Amino acid sequence: MLDDRLMRAMFGESRSIAIIGAKDKAGQAVDRVGRYLLEQGYRIFPVHPVRKTVWGLPAATCLAELPEPVDIVNLFRAPEYCPAHAQEVLDLPWKPKVFWMQLGIRSIEARQVLARTGMTVVEDSCIMVEHERLMRPSLTF
């Protein structure tokens, strides 16, 4: 896991996030996280193999279909799918700064695939929770 200083810098420098496994189904974690990131001003690119739109945005079926490079690839997929997504990232003509696996998702294989790239890999952590903790001003009385 990144230390707080590096994670704060990463959030501040990032502008766009692809969410793999994006769904706008109320009550699901991916929906809450996607809506939160939109509210924070990030350009969100939903990625889903079947859905045509998510959160009113056009959805790509894979990362190669994105209209532009993104800073962060955020995964809402089971761990067994993460190595294939890591390889998908390697096959892109551009590279994101961060490959983020959501809370409960770890993949040694995905981390190993991306290790030689120097890309930051985050596992088992909620991007929304970390963003709120580090980037939202705290209320003091």
Side-chain angles (χ1 to χ4, degrees):
M1 179 60 92
L2 295 175
D3 71 33
D4 286 355
R5 183 181 54 78
L6 291 174
M7 194 175 298
R8 192 176 283 114
M10 180 264 313
F11 281 130
E13 295 167 2
S14 297
R15 300 287 175 256
S16 56
I17 303 171
I19 300 178
I20 297 178
K23 292 187 269 186
D24 49 6
K25 187 173 179 183
Q28 291 197 352
V30 66
D31 184 53
R32 285 189 305 276
V33 170
R35 289 180 191 281
Y36 170 83
L37 293 170
L38 281 165
E39 289 169 5
Q40 300 311 305
Y42 290 99
R43 284 192 334 273
I44 300 300
F45 296 91
V47 179
H48 193 282
V50 177
R51 293 175 182 258
K52 301 296 181 207
T53 62
V54 179
W55 306 301
L57 301 168
T61 62
C62 63
L63 292 173
E65 286 185 3
L66 293 177
E68 62 188 76
V70 297
D71 298 312
I72 300 172
V73 170
N74 183 227
L75 277 83
F76 277 90
R77 297 290 318 273
E80 61 265 24
Y81 299 110
C82 293
H85 289 300
Q87 186 59 54
E88 182 182 10
V89 165
L90 286 183
D91 294 340
L92 294 169
W94 50 270
K95 301 297 177 264
K97 297 174 190 165
V98 181
F99 185 84
W100 191 301
M101 293 174 266
Q102 277 296 129
L103 193 61
I105 305 170
R106 292 184 163 277
S107 173
I108 294 167
E109 296 87 358
R111 191 173 354 109
Q112 289 172 338
V113 166
L114 297 172
R116 65 184 179 273
T117 68
M119 185 181 311
T120 299
V121 176
V122 177
E123 298 177 274
D124 192 21
S125 181
C126 179
I127 195 169
M128 179 181 79
V129 169
E130 293 303 320
H131 186 277
E132 275 187 320
R133 182 175 71 83
L134 296 168
M135 305 300 285
R136 304 266 316 251
S138 60
L139 299 174
T140 55
F141 296 94

